[in-house]
Amino acid sequence: MRIYKPEVMGIYNRTLSVQPWSPPGVSMTAARRIWPSTRGENTVVAVLDTGVDYNHPDLKTNIIGGISFVSGEKDFIDLNGHGTHVTGIIAANSRILGVAPQSKILAIKVMAKNGAGTFQGIIQGLEYARRWRGKQGEVVNV
C-alpha cells in the first residue's frame, strides 16, 4: 500500500492553475489510468444527498436535472455543501476533474440543509432514480 503525503502548497498552486487537474483523492482511485478508455461518457449517475449546486463552475455542464424530496426545500440546490462535494468527486469537469468527468448527474435531494433526512425521502429518491429515463432512453446508475 502506498502512503500519499499531500503537499499543501503544491495543491494550493494547482488550484490557481488554469489547467484541469485531479485532486489527490481522485488520483488515488486510479482514475487517470482508466481515462484513456472512459471518462464516464454516456453514463448517468444519480446522487442522493443534500442536493447539488447547479451553478458550480466545475459541475454545471454535467447536471442534467434534479428533484427534491425534502419537505420545505422544493429546489434541489445544495444548501449544505455535502452533495456538491460528492458530485464533484464523481463528475467535476472544468478546472478540477472528478473520477468520471464526462458523466452526467441527476441530483436527487433527500437530505435537508442540516444534513438530516427521512427514510420516506430516501425511498422516494431511490424509486425516482430507478424509474427515471432520459430523452434518449438513458437509465441511471445509483
Side-chain angles (χ1 to χ4, degrees), residues 38-56:
T38 182
R39 288 183 170 226
E41 305 90 329
N42 304 313
T43 302
V44 178
V45 180
V47 177
L48 285 78
D49 208 303
T50 58
V52 175
D53 180 356
Y54 44 76
N55 297 311
H56 193 289

Side-chain angles (χ1 to χ4, degrees), residues 49-53 70 73 75-86 109-117:
D49 208 303
T50 58
V52 175
D53 180 356
V70 175
E73 295 182 25
D75 190 2
F76 66 91
I77 189 80
D78 189 0
L79 302 173
N80 176 286
H82 189 270
T84 300
H85 183 102
V86 169
K109 186 173 189 171
V110 297
M111 293 180 217
K113 59 185 170 188
N114 65 359

